[in-house]
Amino acid sequence: MTDALKRLSEEGVAIWLDDLSRKRITSGNLAELIDQQHVVGVTTNPSIFQKAIAGGDGYEQQVADLAARKVTVEEAIRMITTADVRDAADILRPVFDATQGQDGRVSIEVDPRLAHETAATVAEAKQLAWLVDRPNTLIKIPATKAGLPAITEVIGKGISVNVTLIFSLERYREVMDAYLAGLEKAKAAGLDLSKIYSVASFFVSRVDTEIDKRLEALGTDEAKALKGKAALANARLAYEAYEEVFSSDRWAALDKAQANKQRPLWASTGVKDPAYKDTLYVVDLVAPGTVNTMPEATLDATADHGEVTGNTIAGTYDRSRAEIEAVEKLGISYDDVVQVLEDEGVDKFETAWNDLLKSTEAELQRLAPSEG
């Protein structure tokens, strides 16, 4: 084992785990990852909960109790998922305290079926923050057009947010703008800005998956030479945008009021193409003030053989721009790729949520007490 994870942390990268289940909580596994693998946060999404609850391990008693109370399937899911997030938040509380609130965070997502409804997303975010009732929670809101004003509104109410499903540089700038607008609202309302935190989840591997598929279809040597480059280039240019926004005059005024920067979070960092090194989206995206949320396989691979060589984003911006431009010159539209990925991302989470509804409904029926 190398101590690549320690080195990553020392470079200013917060290591978060992209997974949660009740078994992980009750077995002591999450506490062990915090203690031994430098994990300082947890992200969840509908797909993660769908897998955990369908696996069933540790949920039966709670589902039986919910069935006895004849709750709706939606309420059952909320009770189950918020219980897991609350318990994980309690395990991470010492990290939260030690980092003055920056890390030790657990994310929980609004119902993905509300992705295109601003008012419903705001209401759901408030409800989730109230239900979990832990200061180290982040409410996940998708970066759809309808999500942007919801982010401003929720931040303005003092609720910390993880903005998810960001693929494009233009949308990322809109997300940062929505965050700053939210802080300005919170400031006007007299809230303590030092207590409000946010991360912006910029998706990585899916960009390569979509662009590589289109490059492969072109089939030329020039196209094949660009495979595996777009995702890193896109993420690195996102970091450039982050540096610009958080050194602006607008930010300076909020900084004076003790506001916190919205950190870029690299999401979807598990490598999908076996031809690429399994630590690609970790070791090639090292820069201070970032978060990398990893599935456990990526975390283990990084711990085992990750080569952390310092900041791998600084000095890459011109090359990154050239790589994105080279893809565009071959007739692959960047704007089309990122829109396809956003639409697919929302659809995938909605599908996982519907699967979760179905499997939970079946469990509620199976465990319902017999009448009489």
Side-chain angles (χ1 to χ4, degrees):
M1 296 285 280
T2 67
D3 213 344
L5 296 174
K6 180 171 185 280
R7 181 80 203 280
L8 206 53
S9 303
E10 288 166 354
E11 289 291 339
V13 179
I15 298 165
W16 290 9
L17 177 70
D18 193 25
D19 192 49
L20 188 63
S21 67
R22 192 152 298 176
K23 188 176 182 186
R24 208 181 266 292
I25 292 163
T26 56
S27 67
N29 171 263
L30 178 57
E32 194 177 281
L33 291 173
I34 295 162
D35 188 45
Q36 295 172 19
Q37 300 278 58
H38 307 277
V39 167
V40 293
V42 167
T43 49
T44 68
N45 62 45
S47 303
I48 284 168
F49 277 127
Q50 193 270 326
K51 282 186 197 118
I53 295 166
D57 215 345
Y59 294 99
E60 200 161 87
Q61 186 56 61
Q62 187 182 10
V63 175
D65 290 345
L66 291 163
R69 287 174 48 220
K70 297 184 170 65
V71 303
T72 65
V73 66
E74 273 94 351
E75 189 186 342
I77 288 168
R78 277 298 170 231
M79 293 299 108
I80 294 163
T81 58
T82 54
D84 280 359
V85 168
R86 192 180 306 115
D87 288 345
D90 287 344
I91 294 167
L92 278 154
R93 185 60 190 260
V95 176
F96 174 79
D97 292 337
T99 59
Q100 285 79 51
Q102 175 147 275
D103 288 306
R105 296 268 173 182
V106 187
S107 298
I108 183 167
E109 189 138 355
V110 298
D111 183 333
R113 295 172 300 177
L114 308 176
H116 302 296
E117 298 175 45
T118 303
T121 294
V122 172
E124 172 97 343
K126 285 158 63 182
Q127 169 77 352
L128 283 173
W130 177 81
L131 264 179
V132 177
D133 194 27
R134 293 295 183 272
N136 51 330
T137 312
L138 290 170
I139 307 302
K140 283 178 93 174
I141 296 176
T144 55
K145 278 289 184 194
L148 295 169
I151 292 155
T152 296
E153 194 68 24
V154 172
I155 290 288
K157 293 182 186 306
I159 297 169
S160 294
V161 171
N162 175 346
V163 183
T164 188
L165 291 175
I166 308 170
F167 296 94
S168 84
L169 296 166
E170 182 186 357
R171 185 55 54 85
Y172 178 43
R173 285 183 182 274
E174 291 174 336
V175 165
M176 290 188 282
D177 183 68
Y179 175 60
L180 297 186
L183 289 176
E184 286 156 356
K185 278 187 93 152
K187 187 181 172 191
L191 299 182
D192 181 354
L193 300 194
S194 72
K195 298 279 195 289
I196 304 170
Y197 284 83
S198 183
V199 293
S201 295
F202 199 87
F203 279 56
V204 187
S205 68
R206 292 187 197 180
V207 173
D208 271 343
T209 303
E210 182 63 28
I211 288 181
D212 283 2
K213 182 174 76 181
R214 299 183 187 204
L215 290 167
E216 192 64 44
L218 290 173
T220 64
D221 290 345
E222 190 185 2
K224 287 179 181 171
L226 287 168
K227 284 179 69 179
K229 293 189 172 167
L232 289 176
N234 199 38
R236 286 164 170 172
L237 293 172
Y239 191 79
E240 180 187 38
Y242 158 77
E243 288 182 315
E244 280 173 22
V245 170
F246 290 99
S247 58
S248 66
D249 291 343
R250 185 182 182 191
W251 169 248
L254 291 163
D255 191 32
K256 268 193 200 126
Q258 264 73 57
N260 299 293
K261 290 178 181 175
Q262 182 187 55
R263 289 183 293 171
L265 176 151
W266 310 129
S268 176
T269 57
V271 171
K272 307 284 194 291
D273 188 332
Y276 303 153
K277 64 183 179 189
D278 53 5
T279 60
L280 180 68
Y281 305 123
V282 178
V283 299
D284 286 278
L285 287 175
V286 176
T290 58
V291 179
N292 195 308
T293 186
M294 309 178 205
E296 194 167 19
T298 305
L299 184 76
D300 289 344
T302 306
D304 182 60
H305 52 265
E307 292 176 30
V308 179
T309 57
N311 188 326
T312 47
I313 291 182
T316 64
Y317 302 147
D318 288 344
R319 187 175 86 230
S320 297
R321 254 186 293 282
E323 284 166 349
I324 297 286
E325 281 165 14
V327 168
E328 288 236 280
K329 274 182 191 147
L330 293 176
I332 295 169
S333 163
Y334 174 85
D335 289 341
D336 182 64
V337 165
V338 293
Q339 190 58 57
V340 163
L341 289 171
E342 182 185 302
D343 294 344
E344 275 182 2
V346 172
D347 287 348
K348 277 178 185 168
F349 282 169
E350 196 171 316
T351 299
W353 192 262
N354 288 328
D355 289 346
L356 179 54
L357 286 168
K358 282 184 209 137
S359 55
T360 306
E361 178 78 72
E363 281 297 277
L364 285 167
Q365 287 171 0
R366 184 178 73 82
L367 296 167
S370 50
E371 297 300 321

